[in-house]
Amino acid sequence: MSVLCWNCRGAGKPAAVRELREFVMKFAPTLFCIVETQIEGSRVENLAGTLGYDKAFAVDSRGRSGGLGLFWNNEIKVEILGYSPYHIDCSIVEENLNPWRMTLVYGEAQTHLRHQTWDTLKGISNLRDDPWLCIGDFNKVLRPEE
């Protein structure tokens, strides 16, 4: 199992789709996550076949900000537990393994609203006891040189 996440900064352009396809071909992630799609969720989900995946789930962007997409094949089971403009929370089941949880995150870009991302994560943090992976772009600067 491999999970990869990419901040694509716009998935609607032909050049971005080519890069996404090349990335998937090179690394063949079991779960492929994209953030900052900047397009409608239905357009993101329509990329599944182009990228070589059986299934997809996406959250619409808000104008030219945000947007999340998750792609996977039938070899694993993905159950969407919840979503918002800031996250997609899901349960992952692989054959003969215990379930685990993944939350794909795209943090609020506006500093004064960033607490909404963290409030969302705090709100879902105790919903399950499975091992939990949080992945994505938190839009959080850790050091001044970033």
Side-chain angles (χ1 to χ4, degrees):
M1 159 72 66
S2 62
V3 180
L4 290 175
C5 183
W6 187 21
N7 185 331
C8 62
R9 294 188 182 102
K13 302 174 198 122
V17 173
R18 276 193 306 276
E19 285 187 57
L20 289 168
R21 194 177 314 119
E22 289 172 9
F23 188 81
V24 167
M25 287 177 59
K26 181 176 181 178
F27 296 105
T30 310
L31 281 165
F32 185 45
C33 311
I34 58 175
V35 297
E36 201 173 358
T37 62
Q38 300 177 348
I39 59 175
E40 293 175 358
S42 60
R43 287 184 63 198
V44 174
E45 290 173 352
N46 287 338
L47 292 173
T50 300
L51 298 176
Y53 289 97
D54 300 318
K55 300 192 177 181
F57 182 83
V59 174
D60 292 337
S61 66
R62 292 172 296 160
R64 294 200 24 87
S65 177
L68 300 152
L70 175 62
F71 304 92
W72 69 95
N73 283 317
N74 291 326
E75 65 196 46
I76 62 170
K77 181 180 174 198
V78 175
E79 177 188 356
I80 304 301
L81 302 172
Y83 62 92
S84 76
Y86 305 112
H87 83 293
I88 298 173
D89 191 30
C90 55
S91 173
I92 313 293
V93 178
E94 302 171 73
E95 191 173 332
N96 300 321
L97 295 174
N98 291 329
W100 55 280
R101 178 180 177 193
M102 183 182 79
T103 304
L104 174 60
V105 177
Y106 181 73
E108 173 60 56
Q110 297 181 53
T111 307
H112 70 284
L113 297 175
R114 202 161 287 152
H115 67 91
Q116 293 175 351
T117 304
W118 299 107
D119 291 346
T120 298
L121 289 174
K122 286 178 200 171
I124 66 170
S125 65
N126 61 358
L127 295 179
R128 295 179 67 112
D129 291 332
D130 301 333
W132 188 21
L133 169 67
C134 290
I135 191 170
D137 180 352
F138 291 80
N139 271 323
K140 177 69 177 155
V141 177
L142 299 177
R143 295 181 300 278
E145 61 270 14
E146 290 185 312

